[in-house]
Amino acid sequence: AQSVTQLGSHVSVSEGALVLLRCNYSSSVPPYLFWYVQYPNQGLQLLLKYTTGATLVKGINGFEAEFKKSETSFHLTKPSAHMSDAAEYFCAVSRGSTGGFKTIFGAGTRLFVKA
Amino acid sequence: DTAVSQTPKYLVTQMGNDKSIKCEQNLGHDTMYWYKQDSKKFLKIMFSYNNKELIINETVPNRFSPKSPDKAHLNLHINSLELGDSAVYFCASSQETGRAFFGPGTRLTVL
């Protein structure tokens, strides 16, 4: 079985500070890993994804994440937070199975950015 | 062009009623999903359909039933609505890479 754990339901940073959102996963086979962002009253949008290849993945809006197999982690970072980054962030793991893929989401982390 | 669309966007109804939410995707994906997002923003997968066959059925009440008339559509029917069903329901679709494309969500409020 696969699962996703996001450490910290709320993270607060100052504008211009480093953003670090933590995600750990468990999967019996190499998974595909994703970060999604949800702005207020909107659906989910893909930030970035890891499938194979380079373990450091760059996404939109200056975000990046590093896949560390030994730590079963896929933490999301951004060097300098912007007010517009305030949103809910979801880590997700997807694994193929007979007939299709199943995507499981973490509980989400709400990012607050202070002026 | 909208990739995944849902209707209605908002749905307010009384307890005990039966309602449906429609979902359509124009991406040609083989797999479609329904997710429930509760008030704490936790996303839980409810159903997954592949090529018109239910392949994953999570432990949701049997009052919820997915209906897929064709590969591009996956509708969600809910019978005998309860207060606890109030949530935002997201439809999604995916292909081989596993990346899910989400609809805008349907906010269901049961009074």
Side-chain angles (χ1 to χ4, degrees):
Chain A
Q2 53 191 25
S3 65
V4 181
T5 303
Q6 290 183 238
L7 299 178
S9 59
H10 297 85
V11 171
S12 182
V13 301
S14 298
E15 193 172 20
L18 171 71
V19 176
L20 171 60
L21 304 182
R22 299 177 187 273
C23 173
N24 289 87
Y25 69 91
S26 66
S27 178
S28 56
V29 297
Y32 295 156
L33 297 162
F34 306 83
W35 276 98
Y36 288 86
V37 60
Q38 185 180 26
Y39 298 103
N41 300 314
Q42 294 186 28
L44 283 82
Q45 302 172 36
L46 181 69
L47 266 182
L48 50 80
K49 65 179 180 181
Y50 169 79
T51 53
T52 58
T55 57
L56 182 61
V57 181
K58 295 186 183 299
I60 61 173
N61 301 336
F63 284 93
E64 61 182 36
E66 186 171 9
F67 169 57
K68 292 186 176 180
K69 185 177 179 181
S70 60
E71 299 177 7
T72 60
S73 68
F74 192 57
H75 301 331
L76 181 70
T77 61
K78 182 175 180 177
S80 177
H82 192 273
M83 296 296 288
S84 61
D85 294 328
E88 191 88 22
Y89 291 81
F90 292 92
C91 182
V93 58
S94 182
R95 184 175 67 86
S97 61
T98 303
F101 278 78
K102 179 178 179 180
T103 301
I104 300 295
F105 287 84
T109 299
R110 176 69 62 90
L111 176 65
F112 296 92
V113 182
K114 300 175 290 185
Chain B
D1 290 340
T2 303
V4 182
S5 60
Q6 294 178 230
T7 54
K9 189 172 182 179
Y10 299 95
L11 182 55
V12 181
T13 187
Q14 300 284 335
M15 269 197 309
N17 284 350
D18 302 337
K19 290 294 179 184
S20 296
I21 307 172
K22 296 185 177 181
C23 177
E24 178 181 2
Q25 55 99 359
N26 61 8
L27 299 167
H29 288 168
D30 290 328
T31 308
M32 296 183 71
Y33 310 82
W34 276 105
Y35 287 86
K36 178 181 180 181
Q37 186 175 45
D38 60 24
S39 58
K40 296 182 179 179
K41 299 293 186 181
F42 182 68
L43 272 168
K44 178 181 178 181
I45 187 169
M46 301 177 72
F47 301 103
S48 173
Y49 250 79
N50 178 272
N51 290 329
K52 300 183 69 174
E53 291 184 280
L54 180 65
I55 59 172
I56 301 171
N57 186 347
E58 299 296 318
T59 54
V60 299
N62 57 16
R63 298 181 293 105
F64 291 80
S65 57
K67 297 279 193 301
S68 182
D70 55 57
K71 181 179 168 181
H73 296 83
L74 183 65
N75 303 324
L76 182 65
H77 296 270
I78 315 170
N79 295 323
S80 303
L81 278 157
E82 301 177 357
L83 293 177
D85 298 333
S86 295
V88 180
Y89 292 84
F90 286 99
C91 177
S93 70
S94 70
Q95 196 61 322
E96 293 182 357
T97 61
R99 174 196 168 175
F101 290 77
F102 284 83
T106 296
R107 183 175 294 276
L108 171 65
T109 302
V110 182
L111 304 175

